[in-house]
Every structure is written in structure tokens, then in C-alpha cells.
Amino acid sequence: NTGTTKRIIIANFITMRKLISLFCIIWLCANEATGCANNLKIKIIYAPATLQTVFSISPEYFDKGYINHSTDSVYVECDSLIYDFFNCIQALKVSDQNSRYNSIVKPYHTNVRGKVLLYKEDQVVKVYYIGQFLVLYNDTLYDIDEKLRKNIDSMIVSIIS
């Protein structure tokens, strides 16, 4: 039956995606003697979600510091929060707005309110720009879900409290 075959293929694809994600996390956290706390950390630079601006804050504007007066930052060392963050990122769905983003409004569509940097051995290896509804990573937009919002909030709260 074609429907059963499709379901099996989809289930196998999802399982493989989870295994690849788990392998990447283990690989990133691997360290010979001291554990991953010295090798892997996340820096979250964020502004209040309620921050209102006259224009959208593109990733370039965010990096140039157009809203530095309203931002704060925290570092998260390698622990279960980082593992959860990777799981949330892996679960994000590619946004329907990608074709529009790449052809018309690049890069202004994201309206950035935060940036997550992944450091490995003090080198930035990944950068995620976080908007209210979208995540920008490697020129691809992803729809934010509630799980990622809660994950980022919990990382910030665990550090500042």
C-alpha cells in the first residue's frame, strides 16, 4: 500500500533526523578530559519583545548596534539547556516566507529582537537571528514555535536569577 510506504519513509526520515541531531550534539559537546563546559557555550543577545521601532531591525542593523541601548546578553555553558536548544532548532519548520525573503525583502523581513551565537572553543560556529515570528539561520527563515520561545526564556531566566 502506497500510504503505508509513505508513512514508513516519513517515520524513518524523522528518526534519522533525530539521530543526526543527537550525534551533532554529542560531537559538539565531546571533550577529552574536562567535559564540554570549556568548549561549548551559547551567547544570547536580546531586546524586549515589546521594543517598538519605527523601522524593522534587520540582522545587519542588529549587528551594527541600532538597538544596543535596549539589549542585554547572557552566556549559557554546555548543559541540558543547550541540548534542549538544539532539539528545538532541529524541530523548526522552514517558513513559507523564504521565497519572498530571498527575492524581495531580504534581509529586512526578520525584524530581529535577539541573536544566539554558538561558540565552540571560543570560536563562533553558528549564528541564529531571532525575530518575533521567525528565525534566520544561513539565509533560511524558520517559523518560531512556542517550544523554542520557552527554551530561550528558560536559558535567560536560569542565568539572571
Side-chain angles (χ1 to χ4, degrees):
N1 186 347
T2 348
T4 304
T5 305
K6 285 181 183 178
R7 282 188 291 243
I8 291 171
I9 291 171
I10 291 170
N12 286 338
F13 175 75
I14 291 169
T15 302
M16 286 301 292
R17 187 173 169 184
K18 288 179 181 177
L19 288 174
I20 290 170
S21 173
L22 180 61
F23 172 77
C24 289
I25 292 165
I26 291 170
W27 178 77
L28 284 171
C29 286
N31 186 3
E32 296 80 30
T34 59
C36 62
N38 295 328
N39 280 338
L40 188 66
K41 62 185 169 187
I42 286 178
K43 180 179 183 181
I44 304 171
I45 305 167
Y46 62 95
T50 57
L51 177 69
Q52 294 184 356
T53 57
V54 176
F55 51 88
S56 292
I57 303 298
S58 69
E60 289 79 12
Y61 285 172
F62 192 87
D63 288 341
K64 288 180 182 176
Y66 278 59
I67 58 172
N68 271 357
H69 62 283
S70 299
T71 61
D72 203 352
S73 64
V74 295
Y75 282 94
V76 179
E77 299 295 326
C78 183
D79 60 7
S80 62
L81 292 174
I82 293 175
Y83 177 80
D84 290 343
F85 175 76
F86 280 115
N87 282 335
C88 291
I89 289 293
Q90 286 293 329
L92 294 180
K93 307 245 184 300
V94 174
S95 176
D96 295 339
Q97 298 181 36
N98 273 300
S99 59
R100 186 180 142 169
Y101 170 78
N102 287 319
S103 64
I104 300 172
V105 293
K106 183 179 181 178
Y108 302 102
H109 194 66
T110 311
N111 202 8
V112 176
R113 290 296 182 261
K115 181 178 177 180
V116 177
L117 298 104
L118 173 66
Y119 289 87
K120 178 154 174 52
E121 297 176 359
D122 295 325
Q123 298 291 321
V124 175
V125 293
K126 293 186 180 199
V127 178
Y128 302 91
Y129 290 95
I130 312 294
Q132 187 174 2
F133 304 107
L134 300 167
V135 173
L136 177 64
Y137 172 68
N138 279 349
D139 268 348
T140 303
L141 291 172
Y142 298 88
D143 293 319
I144 287 186
D145 60 12
E146 193 61 29
K147 188 175 177 184
L148 179 63
R149 280 193 186 101
K150 287 180 180 178
N151 175 263
I152 292 173
D153 286 345
S154 70
M155 285 193 287
I156 293 170
V157 168
S158 71
I159 299 303
I160 62 174
S161 39

